[in-house]
Amino acid sequence: MSSRVGWCAAVLATCGTAVGGTAQEGHPTPFALVELFTSEGCSSCPPADALFAKLMTEADTSGRAVYGLSFHVDYWDSLGWKDPFPDAAFTRRQNRYETLLGVRGPYAPQLVVNGADQFVGSDGSRANSAIEKFMSKNASVVV
């Protein structure tokens, strides 16, 4: 686990405990951090953007500790459509997941859940399954 992902997990575990109590005595409340790597220049990304919005709305409505971050990568800009929101730092973040998760090359749309599971960002079944996997067990934080 990268130090940034570990730090984020620690912050979210603490927030989940403060907001939602604990799942079991002494264990932080389960949570899911959902990261979407997307681009306005990517023709496959709108369905992933819609799924991401749906996941975040469902989490908000249910009060579940599911948090979302959307990152517009910059490598699609060279293909003709200029995305107004890209950042090279987002692409670097995605590239670190390549190494961490053994992915070949960056791609969009990509969803990463809790820094441990990744898949095509428009795969709703896989997204729900990954979120449930992390929500069904107590959060653990490696310091």
Side-chain angles (χ1 to χ4, degrees), residues 3 8 10 14 26 42 52 54-55 61 67 70 82 106 115 123 128:
S3 61
C8 194
T14 302
C42 160
F52 181 78
K54 179 180 178 227
L55 293 170
T61 302
Y67 306 97
S70 181
K82 279 290 197 192
D123 189 339
N128 285 317

Side-chain angles (χ1 to χ4, degrees), residues 5 7 16 18 23 29 35 44 53 60 83 100 102 111 115 133 136-137:
V5 172
W7 175 84
T29 302
E35 297 173 84
S44 301
D60 189 43
D83 186 331
L100 182 67
L111 270 177
K133 177 175 79 174
S136 67
K137 58 186 175 185

Side-chain angles (χ1 to χ4, degrees), residues 77-141:
D77 281 1
S78 63
L79 300 175
W81 180 276
K82 279 290 197 192
D83 186 331
F85 308 108
D87 193 314
F90 301 157
T91 301
R92 287 192 300 274
R93 181 182 186 87
Q94 186 181 31
N95 287 337
R96 285 193 297 270
Y97 279 129
E98 277 184 75
T99 304
L100 182 67
L101 301 176
V103 179
R104 275 197 109 160
Y107 67 92
Q110 180 186 30
L111 270 177
V112 178
V113 180
N114 278 17
D117 199 358
Q118 70 81 34
F119 43 90
V120 174
S122 57
D123 189 339
S125 174
R126 186 87 185 267
N128 285 317
S129 177
I131 290 168
E132 288 308 314
K133 177 175 79 174
F134 290 104
M135 296 300 291
S136 67
K137 58 186 175 185
N138 289 323
S140 61
V141 179

